[in-house]
Amino acid sequence: MRHSLSVVILLLFASTSEAQTARRSVALTFDDLPKAIDSGNVIETRHTTSEILAALKRHRAPAIGFVNERQLHVPGEMDARVAVLQQWVQAGFVLGNHTFSHPDLQTTPLSQYEDDVIHGEVITRRLMRNAGPYQLYFRHPFTHTGPTREVRTAFEEFLKTRGYKIAPFTIENSDYIFNKLYLDARKANDRPLLRRIRVAYLDHNDAVFGFIEGLSREMFGREIIQILLIHANDINADCMDEILKRMEARGYAFTTLDRALEDKAYETRDDFVGRMGPSWLHRWTVSLGLKMKLDQEPDPPKWVMEMFQKSLAPR
Ligand SMILES: [Zn+2]
């Protein structure tokens, strides 16, 4: 009896000390609010939001959500859709600008793109008005930061004059690929496939975290505060609790984007210009004179990629 009691006490100590000494830190950022791949049914959008926010609250994880205000302009649903965004603000989270209509800076004339940014902050700024002073953040759609150095510099100047900081990211987990398959499987009511996709998604998330942690140690001799880019979508609504648990199991504590950007690593110059929108860790290799290892980043499993390609093919 005494023996088992001491084991319990030991276990208790072990678990509290682990919680107190998180070795790693990550900021969570959600794109395409109110919802990525919106079914058009605002009740579902509200449900997705509630699930994500409930999981964040359970894990005391702060977050920032990047809004596409075009999604709010649905006839007869505008109030209900604005109320969904209001849920984020009420939960104490920050809303950022992800443009009005999600254009691609790679293919959109700069003046038109800048208009879209201005158009994209009207409701969000109003919702945040009573939330106290906060840093304005901008996240580029597709994380495309400009087709040329000139466009990039001009746009960054525009952002600065409007008070925006760019929201970088270091980790993304291809959630939009898994989400597409997840929605298809749900429509087909294929429960075994839903489970399989979910497990593959969680495992892939671990794989990209492992890769980025290693890259971070290689580049900076330590693990920097990471910034995760995911979407406000169905698979994350269903998996958020598990995703956060897995991060905690890796030793992560959750922090704000403001705090993450205080990490000196984010002062590294980003000289990347290109067609892709990779992790800032990959971008920094340009100014640090290192070899880019984008091709070594883990892909989702082959069956997932094949199923995704097939799902996009015209029928
Ligand atoms: Zn987006």
Side-chain angles (χ1 to χ4, degrees):
M1 182 67 189
R2 190 182 293 168
H3 179 70
S4 64
L5 188 65
S6 62
V7 168
V8 169
I9 289 169
L10 262 177
L11 282 173
L12 273 174
F13 266 106
S15 65
T16 38
S17 70
E18 201 172 295
Q20 280 163 359
T21 55
R23 318 171 261 135
R24 295 168 162 154
S25 201
V26 62
L28 309 175
T29 70
F30 290 82
D31 281 12
D32 300 3
L33 262 56
K35 185 177 174 180
I37 320 292
D38 198 308
S39 66
N41 181 340
V42 71
I43 294 168
E44 287 177 17
T45 306
R46 191 183 301 137
H47 173 76
T48 304
T49 307
S50 302
E51 290 295 306
I52 291 173
L53 294 179
L56 292 172
K57 201 169 163 192
R58 269 198 298 279
H59 292 262
R60 297 170 196 265
I64 178 167
F66 289 94
V67 181
N68 297 127
E69 290 197 8
R70 184 176 63 181
Q71 286 196 54
L72 306 171
H73 295 264
V74 175
E77 285 191 354
M78 188 128 177
D79 270 354
R81 288 177 172 271
V82 171
V84 169
L85 281 190
Q86 184 79 38
Q87 285 182 259
W88 286 82
V89 179
Q90 271 162 358
F93 299 140
V94 177
L95 296 176
N97 189 338
H98 193 40
T99 72
F100 180 76
S101 65
H102 213 280
D104 188 346
L105 185 50
Q106 203 65 28
T107 51
T108 311
L110 181 60
S111 57
Q112 194 183 320
Y113 191 86
E114 288 177 351
D115 283 351
D116 212 82
V117 174
I118 295 166
H119 196 185
E121 66 180 23
V122 179
I123 295 166
T124 313
R125 295 285 291 269
R126 183 164 58 75
L127 287 176
M128 289 295 296
R129 202 168 40 202
N130 298 325
Y134 71 105
Q135 172 63 49
L136 292 174
Y137 282 106
F138 178 76
R139 158 89 30 86
H140 302 76
F142 312 101
T143 56
H144 287 167
T145 48
T148 63
R149 184 164 307 280
E150 292 68 35
V151 168
R152 215 191 107 157
T153 309
F155 181 58
E156 286 176 7
E157 202 47 51
F158 163 87
L159 286 179
K160 208 190 275 172
T161 56
R162 292 193 71 87
Y164 282 99
K165 260 194 200 174
I166 292 169
F169 78 95
T170 55
I171 307 180
E172 64 90 24
N173 61 16
S174 303
D175 62 341
Y176 64 99
I177 292 176
F178 291 93
N179 187 57
K180 172 75 172 69
L181 304 189
Y182 197 72
L183 290 176
D184 291 347
R186 193 191 269 169
K187 208 181 280 171
N189 204 17
D190 188 337
R191 285 175 180 277
L193 182 57
L194 277 171
R195 260 197 306 278
R196 196 170 165 221
I197 294 165
R198 190 186 156 106
V199 169
Y201 175 48
L202 292 168
D203 288 348
H204 180 64
N205 186 60
D206 267 330
V208 286
F209 264 82
F211 173 79
I212 289 296
E213 287 155 3
L215 193 56
S216 170
R217 287 192 299 270
E218 246 175 68
M219 292 174 66
F220 292 97
R222 66 186 174 94
E223 289 190 25
I224 68 169
I225 302 184
Q226 306 291 353
I227 301 172
L228 176 69
L229 183 167
I230 45 177
H231 296 83
N233 62 22
D234 287 87
I235 198 165
N236 285 327
D238 288 359
C239 295
M240 192 45 56
D241 199 54
E242 190 63 32
I243 290 176
L244 298 176
K245 270 188 198 153
R246 290 224 189 176
M247 289 181 204
E248 284 166 345
R250 297 188 79 82
Y252 279 95
F254 305 110
T255 192
T256 61
L257 183 55
D258 287 341
R259 175 71 194 84
L261 293 180
E262 285 171 16
D263 187 315
K264 293 271 180 242
Y266 292 93
E267 289 171 18
T268 312
R269 230 179 46 237
D270 167 17
D271 284 342
F272 175 83
V273 175
R275 278 184 303 107
M276 296 167 299
S279 161
W280 261 250
L281 279 165
H282 293 305
R283 291 164 187 258
W284 291 329
T285 57
V286 179
S287 68
L288 295 176
L290 301 169
K291 188 178 172 296
M292 199 183 278
K293 293 188 170 173
L294 193 54
D295 55 341
Q296 290 177 33
E297 190 159 326
D299 283 326
K302 201 161 161 258
W303 68 267
V304 169
M305 293 311 289
E306 284 172 0
M307 203 181 271
F308 180 63
Q309 292 303 335
K310 220 165 117 189
S311 79
L312 297 177
R315 278 156 225 249

